[in-house]
Amino acid sequence: MTVTISCRSERSEAFEAGGGAALTGHNLYGTMLLTCAGTSRVRRWFTLATGLVECLCFTGVVFGWASLVFVLKTEGYFSSLCVNTTHVNGTQTMALSNILFPALTFITLGGTSLLTTNIQVGNLFGSRRSTIITLYTGAFDSSSAVFLVIKLLVESGVSLRDCLLFVSACGVIHTARTFLLMPTSSIPYPLPASYTYGVTCGKTISAELEAARGQIDLQGDDATAATPVYQESPPKKVSPAPERSFRECVLSRFFLWHLLWLSVMQLRHYLFIGTLNPMLQRLTMGEPSLVSQYLDAFGFTQLFGLLCAPWNGLIIDRLKGKPKAAGESECEADLRASVLSLSLTALQCVLFSLCATIPILPLQYLTFVLQVLNRSFLYGGNAAFISIAFPQCHFGKLFGLFMSLAAVFGLLQWPCVLLVNRALGGDPLYVNAALTLLSLLTFIHPLSVYLHCRQTQSRCFQTTKLQ
C-alpha cells in the first residue's frame, strides 16, 4: 500500500511539473496566436482599403472615353483628319492619334487584370464576400470619372501631358502593393483558420508558432509518459464531393446563359459610351457648352457606382442568410439568393436602353443614372455569380474567360456604328430599339437559375419525404 502511494505521488509531481511547463507553452502559443490574428486583421482591412483605391483610380478609366475624347478634340488630336491641316501639324497629330488606340487597349487590359486580382480579396471576409466583391466592381465603375477629372483640370489650365504623366507615375502603387499586400497565389475560400499572407505574418511568425506548438507537444509527452493513454479510434473521414473540372464548367448551362446575360448588357453599355459624344452633338445641335455640360453630368454620375454596387452584394448576402430548405446544400442556397440580383440587373438594362432610345435631351439625365446603376450591378453580379455557381479554384480562369468572350461579342458595336453613320444618316433610333429588344434576352438567365433551384428543391423534398 505504501509503494502504491509513493508511485502515485511521484507520478503526480511529474505531471504537475510537466503540466506547469505545458501551461507556459500554451500561454506562449496563445499569445503568439493573438498577435498574429491582430496583425492579420489589420492587414486584411489595409489590403481592402488599398485595393479599393487601386480599383477606383486605375481599373475602369477607359469607360470615361466620352470625357477624354472631348479634351482630345479640343487639343487637336484628330486634326490630321481635317482637309485644311498643315503638313507638320498633320503628321504630328496623326502619330499621336495612332498611338492613342494601343494605349487605350493596354489601359483596358491592365485595368481588367487589376480588377480580377483584387476581387479575390473578398475571400478574406467570409460572409461579407459578395458585398466586398461588388464594392470593388463599384470602384471599377466609378474609375471612369478619372478622365472627367482630367477634363476639368485641362479646362482649368493644367496641360493634358502633365495629367497623363502623373497617372503613369502612380503605377508605382501597383508594384508596392503587389509585393507587400497581396499573396503569391490565389486566396482560398472558405478561408483556413491559419491562413496568412504578406511579408511580416508569413514565414517568420508561422515558424515561431510551429516551434511553440512543438514545445507544447514535447512537454505534454514528458508529463503523460507515466500515465496510461486511452485513444479513441479516429472518426471516418467523409470524402468531399469531387469538384467539377474547368471543362465541365465551360460546357454547363449556367456558363452559356450567364455569358449571354453579360455579353448583351456589356454590348449595350459599350455602344452607349462609344456613341455618347455624337449623340449629344446631335441632340444639342452641336452646341459645345451644352455638350460639355451633359458630359460633366455623365462623368459625375459615374462616381456613384461605388455607392450603388454594394447594394447588389448586400441583397445576395442578405438572401444567403435566410434559413435553408430541408436537404438544400449551401451552394444551392447561394444560387437561389442570386436570382433576384440577376433579375434586377436585367430589368435595369431594359429601362436604361429604353431611355437611351428616346431622343429627348433632358431625359438623358435619367439615362445617365440608370446607366451607372445598371453597370455597377452588372459587373458586381457577374463576379458574385461566378464565385457562387462555379468552384473557387476556377474563379480566375472563368472570370477572365467570361470577360474575354463578352469583349469579343462587344466587337459588334463596330458594325452598329457603321450602320448608324452610313445607312441611317447618323440617327441611332433603330439600332437602339433593336438593342432594347435584344436586352429582353437577359431575363433567360435568372429564369434558368430559378427553375434549376425549384427542381433541386423539389428533389430534396421528395428525398426527405421518402426517408
Side-chain angles (χ1 to χ4, degrees):
M1 188 71 177
T2 307
V3 175
T4 304
I5 293 174
S6 176
C7 289
R8 286 181 178 175
S9 177
E10 292 175 0
R11 189 176 300 170
S12 176
E13 291 175 359
F15 182 77
E16 289 176 0
L23 183 60
T24 304
H26 275 294
N27 290 337
L28 174 63
Y29 184 65
T31 302
M32 294 181 69
L33 275 178
L34 289 175
T35 303
C36 187
T39 306
S40 178
R41 190 179 300 110
V42 172
R43 181 181 291 103
R44 290 178 187 182
W45 283 103
F46 193 58
T47 301
L48 172 65
T50 54
L52 193 62
V53 172
E54 192 174 69
C55 288
L56 185 61
C57 298
F58 302 103
T59 52
V61 294
V62 72
F63 291 104
W65 166 252
S67 298
L68 178 64
V69 73
F70 185 85
V71 176
L72 295 178
K73 287 181 178 179
T74 306
E75 295 285 322
Y77 267 58
F78 306 107
S79 59
S80 61
L81 302 177
C82 301
V83 178
N84 58 349
T85 305
T86 61
H87 178 70
V88 176
N89 290 338
T91 304
Q92 182 180 6
T93 54
M94 181 179 294
L96 291 173
S97 60
N98 289 336
I99 294 174
L100 178 66
F101 295 103
L104 290 175
T105 302
F106 286 126
I107 288 175
T108 305
L109 293 175
T112 305
S113 299
L114 285 175
L115 176 64
T116 304
T117 53
N118 276 310
I119 277 177
Q120 63 176 332
V121 174
N123 295 344
L124 298 173
F125 294 88
S127 60
R128 295 188 290 266
R129 182 172 71 146
S130 296
T131 304
I132 300 300
I133 289 175
T134 52
L135 182 66
Y136 273 138
T137 55
F140 170 79
D141 298 330
S142 297
S143 63
S144 58
V146 169
F147 281 152
L148 169 65
V149 175
I150 291 178
K151 174 180 178 293
L152 296 177
L153 289 174
V154 171
E155 290 176 347
S156 64
V158 181
S159 70
L160 178 61
R161 180 176 178 272
D162 292 341
C163 293
L164 296 180
L165 285 176
F166 175 78
V167 173
S168 301
C170 289
V172 69
I173 296 175
H174 313 317
T175 305
R177 186 171 178 273
T178 298
F179 288 103
L180 300 178
L181 289 174
M182 294 298 287
T184 55
S185 60
S186 61
I187 300 175
Y189 183 82
L191 198 68
S194 60
Y195 179 77
T196 59
Y197 68 98
V199 295
T200 57
C201 195
K203 296 181 179 179
T204 304
I205 291 182
S206 297
E208 293 175 357
L209 287 176
E210 290 298 329
R213 185 182 298 154
Q215 183 181 357
I216 293 172
D217 292 340
L218 289 174
Q219 292 167 349
D221 291 342
D222 293 339
T224 59
T227 59
V229 179
Y230 299 96
Q231 293 184 348
E232 296 181 358
S233 58
K236 295 181 179 179
K237 294 184 179 180
V238 180
S239 58
E243 291 184 339
R244 287 174 292 171
S245 66
F246 180 71
R247 183 174 181 274
E248 290 173 337
C249 294
V250 173
L251 297 179
S252 66
R253 180 181 60 181
F254 282 163
F255 184 91
L256 175 63
W257 292 128
H258 188 69
L259 180 61
L260 176 68
W261 179 85
L262 174 65
S263 300
V264 170
M265 282 192 276
Q266 185 168 268
L267 172 64
R268 187 65 192 96
H269 285 277
Y270 280 178
L271 191 64
F272 176 76
I273 294 172
T275 60
L276 177 60
N277 203 282
M279 181 191 74
L280 292 177
Q281 293 278 357
R282 183 181 180 86
L283 294 179
T284 60
M285 304 298 180
E287 179 61 36
S289 60
L290 270 178
V291 173
S292 180
Q293 174 185 331
Y294 274 85
L295 287 176
D296 290 346
F298 173 73
F300 280 119
T301 55
Q302 303 306 300
L303 292 172
F304 291 95
L306 183 61
L307 302 177
C308 297
W311 287 102
N312 195 9
L314 288 172
I315 291 173
I316 298 175
D317 287 338
R318 182 64 181 268
L319 293 176
K320 280 183 183 180
K322 288 189 174 182
K324 293 185 291 186
E328 187 179 35
S329 66
E330 184 177 353
C331 181
E332 297 296 335
D334 292 349
L335 275 176
R336 177 168 48 83
S338 68
V339 173
L340 180 60
S341 168
L342 297 173
S343 303
L344 282 176
T345 308
L347 179 62
Q348 292 165 2
C349 182
V350 173
L351 294 177
F352 150 64
S353 185
L354 186 62
C355 290
T357 303
I358 302 174
I360 299 176
L361 185 61
L363 185 63
Q364 301 314 306
Y365 287 120
L366 178 59
T367 304
F368 297 159
V369 174
L370 290 173
Q371 188 269 341
V372 69
L373 180 64
N374 180 234
R375 192 155 64 94
S376 60
F377 268 62
L378 171 64
Y379 291 112
N382 170 48
F385 181 80
I386 295 173
S387 67
I388 289 172
F390 302 102
Q392 185 63 30
C393 60
H394 302 314
F395 176 82
K397 297 187 291 290
L398 287 172
F399 185 84
L401 184 60
F402 272 117
M403 296 300 289
S404 299
L405 294 178
V408 172
F409 187 83
L411 294 176
L412 290 175
Q413 64 178 308
W414 179 246
C416 290
V417 171
L418 291 179
L419 180 63
V420 170
N421 291 337
R422 296 181 181 180
L424 300 177
D427 187 1
L429 177 63
Y430 295 108
V431 172
N432 286 335
L435 289 175
T436 302
L437 294 176
L438 185 64
S439 300
L440 295 174
L441 295 178
T442 57
F443 284 101
I444 296 177
H445 183 35
L447 180 61
S448 173
V449 176
Y450 173 75
L451 293 177
H452 170 80
C453 294
R454 281 286 300 271
Q455 292 172 0
T456 304
Q457 190 173 0
S458 178
R459 285 197 301 267
C460 292
F461 179 75
Q462 292 177 358
T463 304
T464 306
K465 189 175 180 181
L466 290 175
Q467 293 176 349

